[in-house]
Amino acid sequence: MRVLVFDPFHGAAGDMITAALLDCGADRERVAAAMRAVVAEPAVETVTRAGIRATKVNTHATPVHRSLDEVFKRLDDASPVVPPEVLAKARRVFSRINAAETEVHGAHVHFHEVGADDAIADVIGACTALATLRVDGVAVLPLALGSGTTTGSHGTIPVPAPATVAILKGSGLATMQGCDAGELCTPTGAALLAEFSSLNQADLGGYTITAVGYGAGSRDTPHSPNVLRAMVVETTGALPQDTVDLLETNVDDVSGEVIGEALARFMAAGARDASATPIVMKKGRPGSLVTVISLPETSAALARLMARELGTLGIRCIPAVHRFVAERTMADVDVEICGHKKRLPVKCGWMDGRIYTLKAEFDTARDWAAELDLPVRDVLRAIEDAAWNQVREKRQDAGPGDK
């Protein structure tokens, strides 16, 4: 399994997270395009922090305070260049921040520092960078918070900031004070790591490191590197199994357009999957079975959202469904189509030490299909055929055609 591991020993901020992911190999062009949708061209440079080479990102943004709706509008404006799943993740990050600020300050009209353009750019940049790394999970090692006081919109406040504490509460992330004084973890950094985290440190077991990146903060303290380290690793053991809740409801008075929009909203609210299946209901009426897969801690909120969006009076919840989670790895395969050659990624599923399924990455296949002026399905088929041939040559597994 390909996993991203954050090691925030010196804390984390939004720009440090984006920079660390870029240094790990995230697609710089896509990240820059996403950030340009909300700010000017970001500057990416190489710096040193206490002798460690690191990547630094500067958004060149202005300190404008916005409401949550205004932040969401800025994210919506980026939809022509940012995939829907990335925007959904960014919305969830700001929803975490909004909930924390509401808990700390009560009802508020505007975000404070985290509503500025640089924070929006950092969040959309980090979410885009994570998507381009194509990892199967994210683990966050203990997060340094800092100590002392800091100054913000509400004057002098203790470190960690109350909003940061509210975000981390219930996130499952382990924290520590850290070696340095001052604010080491910002609310934006906390919200990003809380949203990204999907694995516990204990789930990792043994792993091999395939890439390392360092994201630099603004301060350069001489005896302690102000950097966030990120590592892409391949785990050597079996993937953890987990439990999910299965939420279901039957509807026969909702249009396909409404169901499609509802499924998108369920995914944006944190569902692990959402689908609709045509069914025949009583008296021969056509209907749909709407199914949402949820983590246990988000089931209640998603069930309420299903009732609101679909108008249904009841949601079935089948708790603690044991999921089989296959081991997954990424591999690059050489493909040739009509004399054109390219090296493209595929995702492989493993069982009992053998590859039993593989799938081409859609985005890269789509882009190459556009370059070649070919149907995407033809390019996907060519990539997967080449991948199965490569698997057979290595004698790791046999493709479906050999069975």
Side-chain angles (χ1 to χ4, degrees):
M1 179 172 69
R2 181 178 163 92
V3 175
L4 178 69
V5 180
F6 285 106
D7 184 6
F9 182 78
H10 295 280
D15 59 338
M16 296 171 70
I17 293 172
T18 303
L21 296 179
L22 288 174
D23 207 32
C24 253
D27 190 318
R28 293 201 174 200
E29 291 185 6
R30 292 192 182 184
V31 172
M35 297 178 74
R36 277 198 305 271
V38 292
V39 296
E41 180 76 30
V44 180
E45 59 181 330
T46 300
V47 299
T48 58
R49 294 290 183 262
I52 293 181
R53 184 210 58 79
T55 295
K56 179 79 171 66
V57 174
N58 191 331
T59 62
H60 299 304
T62 56
V64 179
H65 296 170
R66 292 187 173 85
S67 67
L68 180 63
D69 288 341
E70 290 170 336
V71 170
F72 281 0
K73 175 62 167 58
R74 295 285 283 172
L75 295 176
D76 291 340
D77 291 342
S79 59
V81 295
V82 181
E85 62 272 17
V86 174
L87 290 176
K89 190 181 292 291
R91 290 189 190 97
R92 292 197 297 271
V93 171
F94 278 105
S95 293
R96 289 176 183 269
I97 298 172
N98 183 66
E101 290 215 356
T102 300
E103 178 180 329
V104 172
H105 305 297
H108 60 282
V109 177
H110 293 92
F111 284 117
H112 298 98
E113 287 82 357
V114 293
D117 279 348
D118 60 346
I120 300 173
D122 289 337
V123 168
I124 204 169
C127 292
T128 303
L130 177 63
T132 67
L133 283 174
R134 301 190 302 271
V135 295
D136 301 305
V138 176
V140 181
L141 304 185
L143 171 59
L145 302 179
S147 61
T149 60
T150 187
T151 302
S153 300
H154 294 281
T156 301
I157 56 176
V159 171
T164 301
V165 173
I167 291 168
L168 293 173
K169 183 183 66 177
S171 69
L173 297 182
T175 63
M176 59 183 177
Q177 179 174 307
C179 300
D180 299 327
E183 184 180 36
L184 302 184
C185 179
T186 67
T188 303
L192 282 166
L193 293 181
E195 175 62 31
F196 290 174
S197 177
S198 59
L199 295 171
N200 295 322
Q201 185 176 354
D203 294 332
L204 289 175
Y207 57 79
T208 57
I209 301 171
T210 60
V212 180
Y214 292 90
S218 298
R219 294 180 298 172
D220 185 10
T221 51
H223 303 297
S224 180
N226 182 24
V227 296
L228 166 67
R229 180 164 61 189
M231 300 179 291
V232 177
V233 307
E234 293 285 349
T235 59
T236 57
L239 281 179
Q241 294 175 324
D242 61 4
T243 58
V244 292
D245 288 346
L246 199 62
L247 307 177
E248 293 183 344
T249 188
N250 297 349
V251 294
D252 63 359
D253 57 352
V254 182
S255 69
E257 293 88 348
V258 170
I259 290 176
E261 174 62 20
L263 296 180
R265 295 190 178 190
F266 301 154
M267 294 299 294
R272 286 297 181 258
D273 200 3
S275 62
T277 305
I279 58 174
V280 177
M281 300 178 63
K282 61 184 179 182
K283 299 182 180 180
R285 293 198 303 267
S288 297
L289 169 64
V290 179
T291 304
V292 172
I293 297 175
S294 168
L295 294 178
E297 58 265 28
T298 59
S299 291
L302 280 168
R304 291 173 62 88
L305 183 60
M306 290 174 70
R308 190 186 73 184
E309 294 293 331
L310 300 172
T312 184
L313 298 177
I315 307 292
R316 297 183 294 276
C317 179
I318 306 172
V321 175
H322 197 67
R323 273 203 304 183
F324 162 74
V325 186
E327 182 180 356
R328 288 164 285 179
T329 59
M330 297 299 300
D332 290 328
V333 60
D334 294 315
V335 188
E336 181 174 354
I337 301 178
C338 302
H340 299 275
K341 297 181 180 179
K342 204 173 188 70
R343 193 165 179 82
L344 296 168
V346 294
K347 180 177 289 186
C348 306
W350 294 74
M351 186 187 302
D352 300 326
R354 297 166 65 86
I355 294 175
Y356 75 96
T357 185
L358 54 79
K359 184 177 181 181
E361 288 292 285
F362 181 81
D363 287 349
T364 52
R366 177 198 59 203
D367 294 345
W368 198 30
E371 292 178 21
L372 300 177
D373 193 24
L374 291 174
V376 177
R377 65 178 184 275
D378 292 348
V379 175
L380 288 168
R381 187 181 304 114
I383 296 170
E384 291 169 3
D385 287 346
W388 277 120
N389 288 335
Q390 181 173 298
V391 168
R392 294 187 190 100
E393 289 172 1
K394 293 183 178 180
R395 298 182 179 180
Q396 292 178 319
D397 190 29
D402 291 341
K403 293 181 180 179

